[in-house]
Amino acid sequence: MDFSKLPAILTPDLGLLFWMLLAFAVIFFALAKYGFPAIVGMVEERKNFIDESLRKAHEAQERLANIEKEGESILQEAREKQAQILREAAETRDAIVEQAQEKARTEGARLLDDAKIAIEQEKKAAIADIRSQVAALSVEIAEKVLKQNLKDEQSQMDLIDRMLDDISAN
């Protein structure tokens, strides 16, 4: 293979190769002294930032899990309180119903007793009224019978004698 016919860029001479190596060494030295530490520092800083972000995300996830647990416990506690309030409300309702029933029983018994007393008083009043009416009627009937039987003087005198005999016999 004949290298003489190739372009000069592909077959550099020794002087060009020396200067290229020297330029490469200077640039490499400058990059190694100033560029690489800055790049490594930025990469390290970025790595630390990512690690810190991951740590914070993990902490946030743990906090969220704790908050969820607290939320569940608060929700459970609220459910328990709700159940307790409902039980207390049912007990209060039952107590109020029982009190109302007892009051109704007591009031019913009192009204029944009052009604019995009123009926007894009305009965006594009616009996007294009937007795007075019977007495008045008896007097009227006796008066009419006596008027009929004692029309003359002789029958009146006979009645008076009999009454006096009855009184003296007793």
Side-chain angles (χ1 to χ4, degrees):
M1 182 161 209
D2 189 16
F3 291 116
S4 63
K5 294 191 176 182
L6 291 175
I9 192 134
L10 293 179
T11 58
D13 63 2
L14 209 51
L16 181 62
L17 193 58
F18 171 76
W19 288 112
M20 284 174 55
L21 280 175
L22 184 66
F24 178 75
V26 169
I27 290 176
F28 183 78
F29 177 74
L31 282 176
K33 178 95 173 157
Y34 302 108
F36 290 145
I39 292 172
V40 168
M42 288 192 319
V43 167
E44 189 67 32
E45 187 177 311
R46 179 72 177 159
K47 179 187 167 275
N48 290 338
F49 177 75
I50 291 171
D51 289 343
E52 183 69 20
S53 296
L54 287 173
R55 186 185 60 77
K56 286 181 180 179
H58 183 68
E59 287 176 3
Q61 188 176 14
E62 287 177 358
R63 286 183 196 159
L64 182 61
N66 289 339
I67 289 171
E68 286 176 355
K69 287 178 185 177
E70 288 176 13
E72 282 295 321
S73 66
I74 289 171
L75 187 61
Q76 182 64 28
E77 184 178 325
R79 287 182 184 138
E80 290 172 1
K81 283 184 181 181
Q82 178 188 17
Q84 180 182 1
I85 289 170
L86 287 175
R87 280 193 306 273
E88 289 174 0
E91 290 171 0
T92 303
R93 180 200 64 215
D94 292 343
I96 289 171
V97 166
E98 183 63 32
Q99 287 175 352
Q101 287 175 344
E102 184 62 32
K103 188 175 181 180
R105 281 189 216 107
T106 304
E107 185 67 19
R110 187 188 63 78
L111 289 175
L112 187 60
D113 290 342
D114 289 349
K116 285 179 182 178
I117 291 170
I119 289 170
E120 188 65 32
Q121 289 174 348
E122 289 291 325
K123 180 180 167 186
K124 287 179 182 178
I127 289 172
D129 186 40
I130 290 172
R131 284 184 181 162
S132 67
Q133 287 178 5
V134 166
L137 284 174
S138 295
V139 169
E140 283 182 35
I141 291 172
E143 186 180 329
K144 288 181 183 180
V145 168
L146 283 176
K147 279 184 183 178
Q148 186 108 30
N149 287 339
L150 300 175
K151 288 183 183 176
D152 58 5
E153 225 178 277
Q154 180 59 37
S155 57
Q156 289 177 3
M157 289 310 275
D158 288 340
L159 179 63
I160 291 173
D161 287 338
R162 268 184 286 155
M163 287 181 145
L164 286 174
D165 288 341
D166 284 343
I167 290 176
S168 55
N170 285 333

